[in-house]
């Protein structure tokens, strides 16, 4: 009846800890009772129906939260809540995380203190602020329409130093706020554009793959961008220079 997870419905569920509360047919409506039931039954996963807001007094460590989908489930993480070593799947997620969390197959709309792994997620409007030793973004993509000014997701390096790993990213992305310490970042593009804001003034950054780079960095920041578009531009400029040095009737 539990189907390997405690079912939480904050709007239509029931408070309490006695069976059958927490089952698929009788969801529980709060995290305190849900955690008690989960520990009693030897479970570490919660199925979230509808939307869920973590309260200021909520403490959660090592649990998995599975939504219905990014369209049906919105999870809001209150800043005062303590959320560590958890996994969030199939939801729209926003708010404040603590350390060691994973976010998988979600839509992210503003997320603070990211220190962990983000996988197969849509990065939407709202800054993603890093705060910790490292953050990984694997197989993610931009969910912001357009390609002009202010039309990209933003990753805020949190001032630094934080290491950033981005693999197989698609779409636009802007990096901001690396000013202290020495952050290392490597970005592999499937297809896209990376913008370095003027607040990137410290650290070492490399962008590889297919796409373009706009470098507005300052200070001692080191930006390397051996992306395909830049290489092609260099080759084309070399060909143009060479063509000016040979007669017009000569084939290059």
């Amino acid at each position: 009846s539990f189907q390997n997870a405690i079912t939480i419905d904050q709007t239509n569920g029931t408070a309490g800890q006695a069976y059958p509360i927490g089952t698929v047919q009788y969801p529980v409506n709060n995290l305190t009772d849900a955690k008690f039931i989960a520990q009693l039954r030897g479970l570490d996963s919660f199925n979230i129906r509808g939307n869920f807001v973590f309260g200021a007094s909520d403490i959660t460590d090592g649990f998995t939260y599975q939504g219905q989908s990014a369209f049906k489930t919105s999870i809001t993480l209150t800043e005062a809540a303590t959320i560590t070593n958890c996994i969030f799947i199939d939801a729209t997620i926003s708010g404040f995380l603590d350390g060691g969390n994973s976010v998988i197959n979600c839509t992210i709309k503003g997320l603070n203190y990211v220190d962990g792994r983000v996988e197969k997620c849509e990065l939407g409007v709202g800054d993603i602020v890093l705060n910790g030793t490292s953050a990984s973004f694997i197989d993610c993509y931009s969910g912001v329409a357009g390609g002009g000014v202010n039309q990209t997701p933003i990753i805020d390096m949190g001032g630094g130093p934080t290491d950033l790993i981005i693999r197989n990213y698609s779409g636009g992305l802007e990096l901001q706020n690396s000013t202290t310490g020495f952050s290392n970042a490597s970005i592999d593009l499937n297809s896209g554009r990376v913008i370095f804001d003027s607040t990137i003034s410290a650290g070492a950054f490399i962008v590889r793959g297919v796409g373009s780079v706009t470098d507005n960095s300052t200070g001692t920041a080191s930006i390397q961008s051996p992306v395909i578009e830049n290489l092609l531009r260099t080759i084309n400029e070399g060909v143009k220079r060479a063509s000016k040095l040979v007669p017009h009737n000569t084939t290059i």
Side-chain angles (χ1 to χ4, degrees), residues 188-224:
D188 289 290
L189 294 175
N190 179 42
S191 173
R193 177 190 183 197
V194 178
I195 302 169
F196 290 92
D197 185 67
S198 59
T199 56
I200 299 292
S201 60
F205 303 81
I206 183 168
V207 184
R208 301 170 293 224
V210 180
S212 64
V213 174
T214 300
D215 183 5
N216 298 317
S217 64
T218 58
T220 61
S222 171
I223 310 296
Q224 298 182 54

Side-chain angles (χ1 to χ4, degrees), residues 152-157 164 166 173-178 185 187 194-200 205:
T152 65
I154 294 173
I155 292 182
D156 186 317
M157 299 293 292
L164 172 64
I166 299 178
L173 182 67
E174 181 172 342
L175 267 60
Q176 298 180 356
N177 191 22
S178 177
I187 302 171
V194 178
I195 302 169
F196 290 92
D197 185 67
S198 59
T199 56
I200 299 292
F205 303 81

Side-chain angles (χ1 to χ4, degrees), residues 71-167:
F71 297 101
K72 290 184 176 181
T73 301
S74 176
I75 296 177
T76 303
L77 310 161
T78 305
E79 183 174 7
T82 303
I83 304 167
T84 55
N85 305 310
C86 291
I87 301 173
F88 297 90
I89 306 171
D90 292 336
T92 293
I93 184 169
S94 62
F96 298 82
L97 286 173
D98 298 294
N101 297 285
S102 295
V103 182
I104 302 171
N105 200 33
C106 290
T107 294
I108 298 176
K109 292 189 174 179
L111 197 58
N112 288 268
Y113 308 145
V114 176
D115 178 22
R117 185 179 178 92
V118 179
E119 184 175 349
K120 297 179 180 178
C121 288
E122 177 185 294
L123 310 187
V125 176
D127 293 4
I128 299 173
V129 182
L130 310 186
N131 182 35
T133 57
S134 67
S136 298
F137 293 76
I138 311 299
D139 296 330
C140 295
Y141 59 95
S142 168
V144 181
V149 178
N150 300 323
Q151 291 180 320
T152 65
I154 294 173
I155 292 182
D156 186 317
M157 299 293 292
T162 298
D163 290 341
L164 172 64
I165 298 170
I166 299 178
R167 298 290 179 262

Side-chain angles (χ1 to χ4, degrees), residues 10 31 52-56 58 60 65 75-78 81 83 88:
Q10 205 166 39
L31 186 59
F52 185 82
V53 178
F54 282 87
D58 286 336
T60 179
Y65 295 86
I75 296 177
T76 303
L77 310 161
T78 305
I83 304 167
F88 297 90

Side-chain angles (χ1 to χ4, degrees), residues 47 209 249:
N47 288 333
N249 61 350

Side-chain angles (χ1 to χ4, degrees), residues 228-247:
I228 293 299
E229 182 184 85
N230 288 353
L231 293 176
L232 290 176
R233 185 184 300 116
T234 300
I235 293 171
N236 288 335
E237 289 174 353
V239 171
K240 290 178 181 178
R241 287 194 297 270
S243 66
K244 294 178 181 179
L245 300 177
V246 297

